[in-house]
Amino acid sequence: MHNASMSEQELLTDLLNSEKSLVKDYIGNYTETACPKLRTLLLNCMTECSEDQFSVFEQMQQRNMYKTKKAQPQDVETAKQDMSKLEQQTW
């Protein structure tokens, strides 16, 4: 029997990916149900899972296992404008 072990980074990456997948599954099911109680339950589960995902992300970032770059102010402004245009097109 082989005893394979995962590094801390591998474990956290796996956990992060699992949480991301769960968030997508919860919101996908949320949009497919008409039952108000089930929608509330799924939304609550998705929110909790999203918070867990962010906690794992923060832990990885603190350990230099997940690097991100800061958004430039112009990039943020461009994204806001793009979203505003999209919103206007959908209404």
Side-chain angles (χ1 to χ4, degrees), residues 44-58:
N44 289 341
C45 289
M46 189 276 306
T47 300
E48 183 179 328
C49 194
S50 177
E51 290 168 357
D52 291 344
Q53 178 273 328
F54 189 67
S55 293
V56 174
F57 165 76
E58 287 181 314

Side-chain angles (χ1 to χ4, degrees), residues 5-58:
S5 61
M6 296 172 73
S7 69
E8 182 181 37
Q9 184 169 0
E10 290 171 323
L11 287 168
L12 288 171
T13 299
D14 186 55
L15 182 56
L16 182 71
N17 290 332
S18 295
E19 295 295 333
K20 285 179 175 181
S21 180
L22 284 170
V23 168
K24 290 176 187 176
D25 288 343
Y26 280 127
I27 203 64
N29 286 301
Y30 172 83
T31 62
E32 295 294 324
T33 187
C35 174
K37 286 184 179 182
L38 182 55
R39 287 177 65 87
T40 298
L41 176 65
L42 289 168
L43 190 58
N44 289 341
C45 289
M46 189 276 306
T47 300
E48 183 179 328
C49 194
S50 177
E51 290 168 357
D52 291 344
Q53 178 273 328
F54 189 67
S55 293
V56 174
F57 165 76
E58 287 181 314

